Amino acid sequence: MRVVIQRVAEASVTINNQTKSEIGHGLLILLGIEEKDSREDIEWLVKKIVALRIFDDEKGVMNKSVIDTNGDIIVVSQFTLMASYKKGNRPSYIKAAKHEISIPLYEEFCKSLSLALGKEVGTGEFGADMKVKLLNDGPVTICMDTHNKE
């Protein structure tokens, strides 16, 4: 699994001119899933994300987590994170998991993240044409890959 985590002042997901999810301060997470991903990848990511100290403390030092700051989270599925771009100029998405694998893992990731956060996370809609708006705070953007944990 690959994620792009963005600390946001606000974010929203719109589908067909209807707002599906919106948050104020918190995290916008773009999630890419590949065929070999599993429950272990979900557990590792969820643990890392909720404990990630990327919010400012009283001294302006990034020392607090999304839980510490009572922040919200939106998770958006994004198969393009699995792009292979080494050959030619048209990316290949062959590493991206098929729907029968990725949808259950996406749903499980969102459920596990909600449990760890202690409240519902916002979502997009799997496979939909989504418009994602965000006001990146910092900016702070972090990429994680469960197959490259170091």
Side-chain angles (χ1 to χ4, degrees), residues 82-98:
M82 307 317 295
S84 174
Y85 45 82
K86 292 181 181 177
K87 194 171 165 185
N89 292 318
R90 182 177 179 172
S92 166
Y93 304 105
I94 194 128
K95 283 186 166 183
K98 307 230 179 323

Side-chain angles (χ1 to χ4, degrees), residues 8-13 21-24 27-28 74 132-135:
V8 297
E10 60 186 55
S12 65
V13 178
S21 297
E22 63 184 329
I23 62 170
L27 301 173
L28 170 67
I74 291 180
V132 180
K133 283 187 183 179
L134 70 134
L135 180 56

Side-chain angles (χ1 to χ4, degrees), residues 54-122:
I54 58 172
F55 292 92
D56 292 349
D57 64 15
E58 301 74 27
K59 296 178 182 174
V61 177
M62 286 195 285
N63 205 22
K64 291 189 172 189
S65 70
V66 68
I67 291 176
D68 296 334
T69 61
N70 197 31
D72 293 311
I73 298 177
I74 291 180
V75 180
V76 177
S77 63
Q78 190 163 358
F79 76 93
T80 59
L81 287 178
M82 307 317 295
S84 174
Y85 45 82
K86 292 181 181 177
K87 194 171 165 185
N89 292 318
R90 182 177 179 172
S92 166
Y93 304 105
I94 194 128
K95 283 186 166 183
K98 307 230 179 323
H99 284 146
E100 51 274 4
I101 293 172
S102 55
I103 291 173
L105 286 175
Y106 171 75
E107 290 171 351
E108 188 173 345
F109 177 81
C110 292
K111 182 179 176 184
S112 293
L113 194 55
S114 290
L115 288 171
L117 187 62
K119 57 183 164 180
E120 284 296 309
V121 300

